[in-house]
Amino acid sequence: MRYHNPTSFEDAVGIAAAAQGVTRYLAGGTDVLVQMRAGMVLPDDLIDLKNIPGVHDIAQTPDGGWRIGIAVSGAELGAHAGLCADWPGVVEGMELVGSTQIQGRATLTGNLCNGSPAADSVPGLVAAGALVSVTGPKGVREVAVQDIPVGPGKTSLGAGEVISGITLPPRGAGGGDAYLRFIPRTEMDIAVVGCAVNLRVDGDTITEARIVLGAVAPTVILVPEAAQAIIGTTLDDAAVDSLIAAVTAACKPISDKRGTAEFRTEVAGVLAKRAARIALERAKGA
Ligand SMILES: Cc1cc2nc3c(=O)[nH]c(=O)nc-3n(C[C@H](O)[C@H](O)[C@H](O)COP(=O)(O)OP(=O)(O)OC[C@H]3O[C@@H](n4cnc5c(N)ncnc54)[C@H](O)[C@@H]3O)c2cc1C
């Protein structure tokens, strides 16, 4: 295995584009090093991204959004007061990943590119409308986070492409988000179901919403019908019933040792209701 330590994304792309065999990037390493140790992945080229300038930075953009470096850890996100105030749902998704030790290394980008449908930080990013910068042999393109995973363990990234940053939009007035997951124990487990809700209110009325489910389909799914069920409402009981109906209709889960398809579908409705209520309270307090 060849280990590379580039100091620019252009160099990383050059190495990846020239590589012939199995290539992996090294961010926190909490997926890729575990997979290597288990013999599941044996990269010919391992490209460490942590020494590229700017990858550990969190910065506000001129429009009031946020730019998050691809090597920022979960612990660093959780310690950033401005980001936590604007996007608590995004941060709490990442903070559910693993343990204190894992938090010190694991990144949003690694969680996204590992391609798990149960990845805890991805629903919050999709609900927020986050974009990633994809740097490749043909330059840089901006891609919506929901367009990166295409199936379990698979992404839409082409040969030689690397994610070089994450952008969250400006929070703006009256906005709130939240992420909840169900696991059989209190920590260190994979989501049986996850749900993120991002919404905006004008007074008591919801004017915008994005609702995203994890672990109930081959990728994280954005559910526009669920958003429509609560837009124009105060999240009254009738709206909650419509929300649950829309969420349950969107679920296409598998049954496995952690939960049956029927159980996952029911839990998705419960989490959507609870996450929507938390996001609404946050939006009203914003
Ligand atoms: C004990 C333990 C508990 C865990 N608990 C959870 C949990 O509760 N929830 C959860 O969702 N996950 C969990 N995980 C999985 C893992 O911690 C997360 O997926 C983490 O966010 C991965 O980030 P990383 O930076 O460590 O990724 P890495 O391991 O460095 O990389 C992961 C993948 O992403 C690719 N990649 C990394 N950076 C880039 C980039 N910039 N551009 C393109 N591709 C890139 C790599 O090639 C690799 O395929 C757990 C793992 C362990 C070991």
Side-chain angles (χ1 to χ4, degrees), residues 25 27-32 49 96 98 107 110-111 113 119-120 163 181 189:
Y25 295 106
T30 62
D31 277 316
V32 80
L49 302 172
L96 283 171
T107 65
N111 198 222
C113 295
D120 279 308
I163 293 180
R181 73 172 181 183
D189 210 339

Side-chain angles (χ1 to χ4, degrees), residues 229-266:
I230 63 169
I231 290 172
T233 78
T234 56
L235 203 62
D236 54 292
D237 289 348
V240 167
D241 288 346
S242 301
L243 168 66
I244 293 172
V247 161
T248 358
C251 289
K252 306 271 181 292
I254 56 167
S255 292
D256 65 11
K257 64 183 176 186
R258 291 178 302 117
T260 63
E262 293 77 14
F263 178 71
R264 283 191 155 99
T265 303
E266 184 162 348

Side-chain angles (χ1 to χ4, degrees), residues 32-196:
V32 80
L33 294 180
V34 175
Q35 292 160 4
M36 287 167 62
R37 180 63 70 91
M40 294 160 59
V41 175
L42 298 170
D44 299 291
D45 293 278
L46 184 64
I47 306 173
D48 192 339
L49 302 172
K50 293 192 297 296
N51 293 307
I52 298 174
V55 296
H56 297 279
D57 296 347
I58 301 173
Q60 195 132 37
T61 55
D63 65 357
W66 293 96
R67 181 78 173 167
I68 302 170
I70 53 94
V72 169
S73 69
E76 288 167 326
L77 278 186
H80 195 285
L83 197 61
C84 292
D86 276 4
W87 294 104
V90 171
V91 175
E92 69 197 353
M94 191 63 211
E95 286 191 310
L96 283 171
V97 170
S99 57
T100 301
Q101 292 88 338
I102 297 292
Q103 282 291 307
R105 306 298 291 188
T107 65
L108 289 168
T109 317
N111 198 222
L112 175 63
C113 295
N114 187 53
S116 167
D120 279 308
S121 75
V122 180
L125 288 171
V126 173
L131 300 176
V132 290
S133 304
V134 176
T135 302
K138 295 180 182 163
V140 183
R141 59 195 176 98
E142 298 296 311
V143 181
V145 166
Q146 66 260 33
D147 293 333
I148 295 295
V150 292
K154 293 190 167 60
T155 71
S156 60
L157 297 175
E161 288 191 323
V162 60
I163 293 180
S164 49
I166 300 178
T167 307
L168 285 167
R171 175 65 283 185
D177 70 335
Y179 173 75
L180 292 175
R181 73 172 181 183
F182 174 83
I183 57 173
R185 52 188 195 170
T186 53
E187 62 179 346
M188 294 287 282
D189 210 339
I190 301 167
V192 178
V193 183
C195 180

